[in-house]
mmCIF file of all heavy atoms in Angstrom:
data_model
loop_
_atom_site.group_PDB
_atom_site.id
_atom_site.type_symbol
_atom_site.label_atom_id
_atom_site.label_comp_id
_atom_site.label_asym_id
_atom_site.label_seq_id
_atom_site.Cartn_x
_atom_site.Cartn_y
_atom_site.Cartn_z
ATOM 1 N N VAL A 308 -47.177 -41.964 -3.836
ATOM 2 C CA VAL A 308 -46.639 -40.892 -2.993
ATOM 3 C C VAL A 308 -46.649 -41.355 -1.548
ATOM 4 O O VAL A 308 -47.696 -41.724 -1.015
ATOM 5 C CB VAL A 308 -47.476 -39.595 -3.135
ATOM 6 C CG1 VAL A 308 -46.900 -38.503 -2.234
ATOM 7 C CG2 VAL A 308 -47.498 -39.139 -4.584
ATOM 8 N N ASN A 309 -45.487 -41.342 -0.901
ATOM 9 C CA ASN A 309 -45.374 -41.683 0.508
ATOM 10 C C ASN A 309 -45.160 -40.404 1.298
ATOM 11 O O ASN A 309 -44.098 -39.799 1.231
ATOM 12 C CB ASN A 309 -44.209 -42.653 0.741
ATOM 13 C CG ASN A 309 -44.060 -43.032 2.211
ATOM 14 O OD1 ASN A 309 -44.924 -42.716 3.025
ATOM 15 N ND2 ASN A 309 -42.961 -43.705 2.540
ATOM 16 N N SER A 310 -46.174 -39.945 2.042
ATOM 17 C CA SER A 310 -46.102 -38.684 2.770
ATOM 18 C C SER A 310 -45.909 -38.885 4.271
ATOM 19 O O SER A 310 -46.246 -38.015 5.072
ATOM 20 C CB SER A 310 -47.371 -37.860 2.516
ATOM 21 O OG SER A 310 -47.494 -37.550 1.155
ATOM 22 N N GLY A 311 -45.375 -40.009 4.694
ATOM 23 C CA GLY A 311 -45.130 -40.242 6.110
ATOM 24 C C GLY A 311 -46.252 -41.040 6.753
ATOM 25 O O GLY A 311 -47.068 -41.671 6.092
ATOM 26 N N VAL A 312 -46.292 -41.000 8.108
ATOM 27 C CA VAL A 312 -47.308 -41.728 8.864
ATOM 28 C C VAL A 312 -48.060 -40.762 9.760
ATOM 29 O O VAL A 312 -47.640 -39.635 9.985
ATOM 30 C CB VAL A 312 -46.661 -42.839 9.709
ATOM 31 C CG1 VAL A 312 -45.990 -43.877 8.827
ATOM 32 C CG2 VAL A 312 -45.632 -42.236 10.678
ATOM 33 N N LYS A 313 -49.187 -41.212 10.283
ATOM 34 C CA LYS A 313 -49.975 -40.394 11.198
ATOM 35 C C LYS A 313 -49.220 -40.197 12.505
ATOM 36 O O LYS A 313 -48.210 -40.855 12.775
ATOM 37 C CB LYS A 313 -51.333 -41.054 11.441
ATOM 38 C CG LYS A 313 -52.192 -41.138 10.178
ATOM 39 C CD LYS A 313 -53.555 -41.742 10.464
ATOM 40 C CE LYS A 313 -54.403 -41.798 9.188
ATOM 41 N NZ LYS A 313 -55.742 -42.355 9.432
ATOM 42 N N LYS A 314 -49.718 -39.262 13.341
ATOM 43 C CA LYS A 314 -49.024 -38.895 14.570
ATOM 44 C C LYS A 314 -48.745 -40.105 15.451
ATOM 45 O O LYS A 314 -47.664 -40.239 16.037
ATOM 46 C CB LYS A 314 -49.854 -37.860 15.343
ATOM 47 C CG LYS A 314 -49.205 -37.395 16.631
ATOM 48 C CD LYS A 314 -50.069 -36.400 17.358
ATOM 49 C CE LYS A 314 -49.426 -35.970 18.673
ATOM 50 N NZ LYS A 314 -50.291 -35.009 19.410
ATOM 51 N N ASP A 315 -49.674 -41.052 15.552
ATOM 52 C CA ASP A 315 -49.480 -42.219 16.413
ATOM 53 C C ASP A 315 -48.700 -43.332 15.727
ATOM 54 O O ASP A 315 -48.438 -44.380 16.311
ATOM 55 C CB ASP A 315 -50.827 -42.758 16.893
ATOM 56 C CG ASP A 315 -51.749 -43.121 15.720
ATOM 57 O OD1 ASP A 315 -51.280 -43.063 14.554
ATOM 58 O OD2 ASP A 315 -52.920 -43.449 15.976
ATOM 59 N N GLY A 316 -48.304 -43.128 14.471
ATOM 60 C CA GLY A 316 -47.502 -44.101 13.748
ATOM 61 C C GLY A 316 -48.258 -45.297 13.258
ATOM 62 O O GLY A 316 -47.661 -46.263 12.757
ATOM 63 N N SER A 317 -49.578 -45.260 13.347
ATOM 64 C CA SER A 317 -50.373 -46.446 13.029
ATOM 65 C C SER A 317 -50.563 -46.649 11.534
ATOM 66 O O SER A 317 -50.537 -47.789 11.054
ATOM 67 C CB SER A 317 -51.735 -46.350 13.713
ATOM 68 O OG SER A 317 -52.434 -45.196 13.251
ATOM 69 N N THR A 318 -50.771 -45.594 10.796
ATOM 70 C CA THR A 318 -51.138 -45.735 9.391
ATOM 71 C C THR A 318 -50.294 -44.804 8.528
ATOM 72 O O THR A 318 -50.070 -43.639 8.884
ATOM 73 C CB THR A 318 -52.626 -45.402 9.180
ATOM 74 O OG1 THR A 318 -53.410 -46.175 10.078
ATOM 75 C CG2 THR A 318 -53.048 -45.681 7.736
ATOM 76 N N ALA A 319 -49.840 -45.303 7.384
ATOM 77 C CA ALA A 319 -49.070 -44.475 6.460
ATOM 78 C C ALA A 319 -50.000 -43.508 5.718
ATOM 79 O O ALA A 319 -51.151 -43.849 5.425
ATOM 80 C CB ALA A 319 -48.328 -45.361 5.470
ATOM 81 N N ILE A 320 -49.493 -42.325 5.433
ATOM 82 C CA ILE A 320 -50.259 -41.337 4.648
ATOM 83 C C ILE A 320 -49.763 -41.445 3.212
ATOM 84 O O ILE A 320 -48.759 -40.838 2.830
ATOM 85 C CB ILE A 320 -50.047 -39.921 5.198
ATOM 86 C CG1 ILE A 320 -50.353 -39.867 6.694
ATOM 87 C CG2 ILE A 320 -50.903 -38.908 4.436
ATOM 88 C CD1 ILE A 320 -49.988 -38.542 7.343
ATOM 89 N N ASN A 321 -50.433 -42.262 2.415
ATOM 90 C CA ASN A 321 -49.986 -42.530 1.060
ATOM 91 C C ASN A 321 -50.909 -41.885 0.031
ATOM 92 O O ASN A 321 -52.061 -41.532 0.329
ATOM 93 C CB ASN A 321 -49.920 -44.043 0.786
ATOM 94 C CG ASN A 321 -48.847 -44.724 1.633
ATOM 95 O OD1 ASN A 321 -47.827 -44.110 1.918
ATOM 96 N ND2 ASN A 321 -49.096 -45.956 2.029
ATOM 97 N N GLY A 322 -50.395 -41.792 -1.195
ATOM 98 C CA GLY A 322 -51.196 -41.323 -2.316
ATOM 99 C C GLY A 322 -50.854 -42.143 -3.537
ATOM 100 O O GLY A 322 -49.706 -42.571 -3.709
ATOM 101 N N SER A 323 -51.830 -42.376 -4.405
ATOM 102 C CA SER A 323 -51.566 -43.197 -5.586
ATOM 103 C C SER A 323 -52.511 -42.809 -6.717
ATOM 104 O O SER A 323 -53.561 -42.191 -6.497
ATOM 105 C CB SER A 323 -51.728 -44.688 -5.259
ATOM 106 O OG SER A 323 -53.070 -44.966 -4.858
ATOM 107 N N GLY A 324 -52.106 -43.189 -7.947
ATOM 108 C CA GLY A 324 -52.936 -42.948 -9.124
ATOM 109 C C GLY A 324 -52.302 -43.598 -10.328
ATOM 110 O O GLY A 324 -51.087 -43.860 -10.335
ATOM 111 N N SER A 325 -53.058 -43.883 -11.389
ATOM 112 C CA SER A 325 -52.516 -44.522 -12.592
ATOM 113 C C SER A 325 -53.299 -44.062 -13.810
ATOM 114 O O SER A 325 -54.427 -43.553 -13.700
ATOM 115 C CB SER A 325 -52.571 -46.054 -12.463
ATOM 116 O OG SER A 325 -53.930 -46.490 -12.362
ATOM 117 N N GLN A 326 -52.691 -44.272 -15.017
ATOM 118 C CA GLN A 326 -53.333 -43.857 -16.264
ATOM 119 C C GLN A 326 -52.721 -44.663 -17.397
ATOM 120 O O GLN A 326 -51.508 -44.893 -17.449
ATOM 121 C CB GLN A 326 -53.124 -42.358 -16.500
ATOM 122 C CG GLN A 326 -53.783 -41.806 -17.738
ATOM 123 C CD GLN A 326 -55.282 -41.850 -17.674
ATOM 124 O OE1 GLN A 326 -55.874 -42.811 -18.153
ATOM 125 N NE2 GLN A 326 -55.896 -40.828 -17.088
ATOM 126 N N SER A 327 -53.552 -45.141 -18.339
ATOM 127 C CA SER A 327 -53.082 -45.860 -19.522
ATOM 128 C C SER A 327 -52.638 -44.849 -20.576
ATOM 129 O O SER A 327 -53.374 -43.911 -20.906
ATOM 130 C CB SER A 327 -54.199 -46.753 -20.073
ATOM 131 O OG SER A 327 -53.758 -47.414 -21.259
ATOM 132 N N VAL A 328 -51.417 -45.051 -21.137
ATOM 133 C CA VAL A 328 -50.839 -44.104 -22.080
ATOM 134 C C VAL A 328 -50.314 -44.864 -23.295
ATOM 135 O O VAL A 328 -49.602 -45.859 -23.142
ATOM 136 C CB VAL A 328 -49.681 -43.310 -21.420
ATOM 137 C CG1 VAL A 328 -49.091 -42.329 -22.413
ATOM 138 C CG2 VAL A 328 -50.161 -42.608 -20.168
ATOM 139 N N ASP A 329 -50.710 -44.402 -24.525
ATOM 140 C CA ASP A 329 -50.155 -45.000 -25.744
ATOM 141 C C ASP A 329 -49.396 -43.965 -26.577
ATOM 142 O O ASP A 329 -48.974 -44.249 -27.699
ATOM 143 C CB ASP A 329 -51.250 -45.652 -26.583
ATOM 144 C CG ASP A 329 -52.287 -44.633 -27.069
ATOM 145 O OD1 ASP A 329 -52.088 -43.417 -26.826
ATOM 146 O OD2 ASP A 329 -53.281 -45.053 -27.686
ATOM 147 N N GLY A 330 -49.229 -42.762 -26.049
ATOM 148 C CA GLY A 330 -48.468 -41.733 -26.741
ATOM 149 C C GLY A 330 -49.247 -40.945 -27.767
ATOM 150 O O GLY A 330 -48.712 -40.023 -28.400
ATOM 151 N N SER A 331 -50.522 -41.261 -27.952
ATOM 152 C CA SER A 331 -51.297 -40.568 -28.985
ATOM 153 C C SER A 331 -51.927 -39.268 -28.476
ATOM 154 O O SER A 331 -52.380 -38.451 -29.274
ATOM 155 C CB SER A 331 -52.397 -41.495 -29.516
ATOM 156 O OG SER A 331 -53.304 -41.842 -28.465
ATOM 157 N N ALA A 332 -51.987 -39.085 -27.147
ATOM 158 C CA ALA A 332 -52.631 -37.885 -26.599
ATOM 159 C C ALA A 332 -52.076 -37.619 -25.200
ATOM 160 O O ALA A 332 -51.517 -38.507 -24.544
ATOM 161 C CB ALA A 332 -54.150 -38.063 -26.535
ATOM 162 N N ASP A 333 -52.213 -36.365 -24.743
ATOM 163 C CA ASP A 333 -51.786 -35.999 -23.398
ATOM 164 C C ASP A 333 -52.685 -36.680 -22.372
ATOM 165 O O ASP A 333 -53.891 -36.847 -22.586
ATOM 166 C CB ASP A 333 -51.857 -34.484 -23.194
ATOM 167 C CG ASP A 333 -50.864 -33.746 -24.076
ATOM 168 O OD1 ASP A 333 -49.885 -34.387 -24.522
ATOM 169 O OD2 ASP A 333 -51.077 -32.538 -24.317
ATOM 170 N N LYS A 334 -52.103 -37.077 -21.251
ATOM 171 C CA LYS A 334 -52.852 -37.715 -20.177
ATOM 172 C C LYS A 334 -52.520 -37.034 -18.848
ATOM 173 O O LYS A 334 -51.404 -36.550 -18.646
ATOM 174 C CB LYS A 334 -52.495 -39.206 -20.077
ATOM 175 C CG LYS A 334 -52.878 -40.029 -21.303
ATOM 176 C CD LYS A 334 -54.387 -40.198 -21.412
ATOM 177 C CE LYS A 334 -54.750 -41.141 -22.556
ATOM 178 N NZ LYS A 334 -56.190 -41.384 -22.630
ATOM 179 N N THR A 335 -53.477 -37.034 -17.956
ATOM 180 C CA THR A 335 -53.279 -36.498 -16.609
ATOM 181 C C THR A 335 -53.514 -37.606 -15.599
ATOM 182 O O THR A 335 -54.536 -38.306 -15.653
ATOM 183 C CB THR A 335 -54.252 -35.340 -16.325
ATOM 184 O OG1 THR A 335 -54.020 -34.283 -17.258
ATOM 185 C CG2 THR A 335 -54.058 -34.796 -14.903
ATOM 186 N N ILE A 336 -52.560 -37.787 -14.687
ATOM 187 C CA ILE A 336 -52.690 -38.809 -13.652
ATOM 188 C C ILE A 336 -53.207 -38.145 -12.381
ATOM 189 O O ILE A 336 -52.567 -37.249 -11.822
ATOM 190 C CB ILE A 336 -51.343 -39.490 -13.371
ATOM 191 C CG1 ILE A 336 -50.827 -40.163 -14.640
ATOM 192 C CG2 ILE A 336 -51.470 -40.497 -12.238
ATOM 193 C CD1 ILE A 336 -49.469 -40.805 -14.471
ATOM 194 N N ALA A 337 -54.382 -38.520 -11.941
ATOM 195 C CA ALA A 337 -54.968 -37.994 -10.715
ATOM 196 C C ALA A 337 -54.450 -38.789 -9.528
ATOM 197 O O ALA A 337 -54.510 -40.025 -9.532
ATOM 198 C CB ALA A 337 -56.488 -38.053 -10.778
ATOM 199 N N VAL A 338 -53.914 -38.097 -8.514
ATOM 200 C CA VAL A 338 -53.372 -38.754 -7.325
ATOM 201 C C VAL A 338 -54.275 -38.452 -6.139
ATOM 202 O O VAL A 338 -54.569 -37.289 -5.848
ATOM 203 C CB VAL A 338 -51.935 -38.264 -7.041
ATOM 204 C CG1 VAL A 338 -51.410 -38.912 -5.761
ATOM 205 C CG2 VAL A 338 -51.029 -38.603 -8.224
ATOM 206 N N THR A 339 -54.710 -39.480 -5.448
ATOM 207 C CA THR A 339 -55.541 -39.322 -4.252
ATOM 208 C C THR A 339 -54.675 -39.499 -3.014
ATOM 209 O O THR A 339 -54.055 -40.552 -2.824
ATOM 210 C CB THR A 339 -56.676 -40.349 -4.246
ATOM 211 O OG1 THR A 339 -57.473 -40.174 -5.424
ATOM 212 C CG2 THR A 339 -57.560 -40.162 -3.022
ATOM 213 N N LEU A 340 -54.574 -38.451 -2.185
ATOM 214 C CA LEU A 340 -53.736 -38.486 -0.994
ATOM 215 C C LEU A 340 -54.542 -39.003 0.192
ATOM 216 O O LEU A 340 -55.680 -38.589 0.425
ATOM 217 C CB LEU A 340 -53.206 -37.078 -0.677
ATOM 218 C CG LEU A 340 -52.238 -36.964 0.497
ATOM 219 C CD1 LEU A 340 -50.958 -37.743 0.207
ATOM 220 C CD2 LEU A 340 -51.913 -35.491 0.768
ATOM 221 N N GLY A 341 -53.941 -39.906 0.965
ATOM 222 C CA GLY A 341 -54.616 -40.454 2.130
ATOM 223 C C GLY A 341 -54.781 -39.420 3.235
ATOM 224 O O GLY A 341 -54.044 -38.431 3.311
ATOM 225 N N ASP A 342 -55.772 -39.611 4.114
ATOM 226 C CA ASP A 342 -56.032 -38.686 5.227
ATOM 227 C C ASP A 342 -54.871 -38.702 6.211
ATOM 228 O O ASP A 342 -54.253 -39.740 6.472
ATOM 229 C CB ASP A 342 -57.323 -39.076 5.958
ATOM 230 C CG ASP A 342 -58.551 -38.891 5.066
ATOM 231 O OD1 ASP A 342 -58.449 -38.116 4.100
ATOM 232 O OD2 ASP A 342 -59.584 -39.535 5.333
ATOM 233 N N SER A 343 -54.576 -37.522 6.800
ATOM 234 C CA SER A 343 -53.463 -37.404 7.747
ATOM 235 C C SER A 343 -53.862 -37.744 9.170
ATOM 236 O O SER A 343 -53.007 -37.863 10.045
ATOM 237 C CB SER A 343 -52.912 -35.971 7.719
ATOM 238 O OG SER A 343 -53.866 -35.068 8.237
ATOM 239 N N GLY A 344 -55.139 -37.849 9.449
ATOM 240 C CA GLY A 344 -55.592 -38.114 10.804
ATOM 241 C C GLY A 344 -56.014 -36.867 11.551
ATOM 242 O O GLY A 344 -56.484 -36.934 12.689
ATOM 243 N N VAL A 345 -55.860 -35.669 10.956
ATOM 244 C CA VAL A 345 -56.295 -34.415 11.572
ATOM 245 C C VAL A 345 -57.668 -34.069 11.019
ATOM 246 O O VAL A 345 -57.857 -33.978 9.800
ATOM 247 C CB VAL A 345 -55.302 -33.269 11.274
ATOM 248 C CG1 VAL A 345 -55.766 -31.994 11.954
ATOM 249 C CG2 VAL A 345 -53.909 -33.661 11.735
ATOM 250 N N ALA A 346 -58.645 -33.894 11.910
ATOM 251 C CA ALA A 346 -59.997 -33.554 11.472
ATOM 252 C C ALA A 346 -60.001 -32.189 10.794
ATOM 253 O O ALA A 346 -59.251 -31.283 11.169
ATOM 254 C CB ALA A 346 -60.948 -33.549 12.667
ATOM 255 N N ALA A 347 -60.848 -32.023 9.795
ATOM 256 C CA ALA A 347 -60.959 -30.744 9.095
ATOM 257 C C ALA A 347 -61.398 -29.660 10.070
ATOM 258 O O ALA A 347 -62.272 -29.864 10.910
ATOM 259 C CB ALA A 347 -61.951 -30.866 7.944
ATOM 260 N N GLY A 348 -60.783 -28.499 9.999
ATOM 261 C CA GLY A 348 -61.125 -27.402 10.908
ATOM 262 C C GLY A 348 -60.058 -26.317 10.856
ATOM 263 O O GLY A 348 -59.098 -26.396 10.081
ATOM 264 N N THR A 349 -60.218 -25.296 11.699
ATOM 265 C CA THR A 349 -59.283 -24.172 11.766
ATOM 266 C C THR A 349 -58.466 -24.286 13.040
ATOM 267 O O THR A 349 -59.020 -24.401 14.133
ATOM 268 C CB THR A 349 -60.032 -22.830 11.742
ATOM 269 O OG1 THR A 349 -60.804 -22.754 10.547
ATOM 270 C CG2 THR A 349 -59.060 -21.669 11.782
ATOM 271 N N TYR A 350 -57.120 -24.254 12.922
ATOM 272 C CA TYR A 350 -56.224 -24.393 14.059
ATOM 273 C C TYR A 350 -55.224 -23.229 14.071
ATOM 274 O O TYR A 350 -54.827 -22.733 13.018
ATOM 275 C CB TYR A 350 -55.449 -25.713 13.974
ATOM 276 C CG TYR A 350 -56.332 -26.946 13.944
ATOM 277 C CD1 TYR A 350 -56.749 -27.501 12.732
ATOM 278 C CD2 TYR A 350 -56.748 -27.547 15.122
ATOM 279 C CE1 TYR A 350 -57.558 -28.623 12.700
ATOM 280 C CE2 TYR A 350 -57.561 -28.672 15.103
ATOM 281 C CZ TYR A 350 -57.967 -29.209 13.894
ATOM 282 O OH TYR A 350 -58.762 -30.315 13.863
ATOM 283 N N SER A 351 -54.816 -22.817 15.274
ATOM 284 C CA SER A 351 -53.781 -21.772 15.376
ATOM 285 C C SER A 351 -52.391 -22.375 15.468
ATOM 286 O O SER A 351 -51.396 -21.661 15.394
ATOM 287 C CB SER A 351 -54.035 -20.891 16.601
ATOM 288 O OG SER A 351 -54.099 -21.665 17.786
ATOM 289 N N ALA A 352 -52.271 -23.694 15.654
ATOM 290 C CA ALA A 352 -50.983 -24.376 15.672
ATOM 291 C C ALA A 352 -51.173 -25.771 15.112
ATOM 292 O O ALA A 352 -52.169 -26.436 15.404
ATOM 293 C CB ALA A 352 -50.425 -24.452 17.101
ATOM 294 N N VAL A 353 -50.232 -26.201 14.268
ATOM 295 C CA VAL A 353 -50.295 -27.540 13.696
ATOM 296 C C VAL A 353 -48.938 -28.209 13.824
ATOM 297 O O VAL A 353 -47.901 -27.542 13.890
ATOM 298 C CB VAL A 353 -50.715 -27.507 12.205
ATOM 299 C CG1 VAL A 353 -52.131 -27.024 12.043
ATOM 300 C CG2 VAL A 353 -49.748 -26.660 11.386
ATOM 301 N N GLN A 354 -48.934 -29.532 13.857
ATOM 302 C CA GLN A 354 -47.708 -30.317 13.826
ATOM 303 C C GLN A 354 -47.616 -30.966 12.464
ATOM 304 O O GLN A 354 -48.571 -31.595 11.998
ATOM 305 C CB GLN A 354 -47.722 -31.388 14.935
ATOM 306 C CG GLN A 354 -46.494 -32.310 14.914
ATOM 307 C CD GLN A 354 -46.607 -33.412 15.957
ATOM 308 O OE1 GLN A 354 -47.365 -33.302 16.904
ATOM 309 N NE2 GLN A 354 -45.840 -34.483 15.762
#
């Protein structure tokens, strides 16, 4: 998953995941999204 780059353009905000599948059972692929560069918190305006 390519979700763009951080505000300063330095680092891409990517996500990735994989899973081995042989068709014998359902599988779920977990995707880990990269940090956007915004610290966790409460904001009244976001970009």
Side-chain angles (χ1 to χ4, degrees):
V308 179
N309 180 10
S310 298
V312 297
K313 296 182 179 181
K314 181 181 178 181
D315 57 6
S317 61
T318 307
I320 307 172
N321 294 327
S323 62
S325 63
Q326 182 66 266
S327 178
V328 180
D329 63 5
S331 62
D333 294 339
K334 296 289 186 176
T335 299
I336 300 177
V338 177
T339 301
L340 184 64
D342 294 339
S343 67
V345 181
T349 301
Y350 301 92
S351 56
V353 294
Q354 177 184 340

